[in-house]
Amino acid sequence: MPTWATRWRCHGRRTRPHVIIYSGAEDLQKVRAFVREQARSFGLGDEPVERLALAVSELVTNTLQHTTGGGEVRMWADGTTVCCDVVDSGPLRVWGHDMPAPDAERGRGLVIVERLCDEVTAFTESGRTVVRLRMAPASDSPSRKAPSASS
């Protein structure tokens, strides 16, 4: 069995991921287009596609603002779920925050990501941080599930 087959599982069937690498703000538009194209090819409808693209855009923007070296976005489907990893060299994210006060200048991004996706998990892999987003093709409205983190 190929190495990728043991790693790229979301909830079920194993598939090889599609990958895009980013290193600067000039790549953000390409990343958004990649996410939209892949999500549609995996069966997501228009609203979940846009929610996933926004969530990934937020995570990639955080990577570009708060880390060095850029990262990668990996997408695949397992038959019941569209899976998307945003991988970078930043620290493990802390989840489960409330939305900041209206006058706060920062701190909304990860809360928004949690609200846009059906499931969010974070873990480390080979010295890098992975934020895994999951969306069900039949997902019409964002879930309010609390994400989990493990290392």
Side-chain angles (χ1 to χ4, degrees), residues 82-96:
V82 174
C83 308
C84 181
D85 286 353
V86 179
V87 185
D88 66 29
S89 62
L92 194 62
R93 308 314 190 271
V94 178
W95 301 95

Side-chain angles (χ1 to χ4, degrees), residues 16-66:
R16 180 182 297 272
H18 300 263
V19 179
I20 188 168
I21 296 171
Y22 60 92
S23 60
E26 66 278 2
D27 297 326
L28 194 51
Q29 185 175 357
K30 289 183 248 179
V31 169
R32 290 180 187 131
F34 169 81
V35 170
R36 286 182 179 111
E37 179 183 339
Q38 295 303 314
R40 284 187 185 101
S41 76
F42 294 137
L44 287 185
D46 289 341
E47 184 182 334
V49 164
E50 291 306 315
R51 289 194 343 253
L52 183 59
L54 179 57
V56 171
S57 181
E58 179 59 38
L59 292 171
V60 168
T61 299
N62 281 352
T63 297
L64 296 172
Q65 289 180 347
H66 302 293

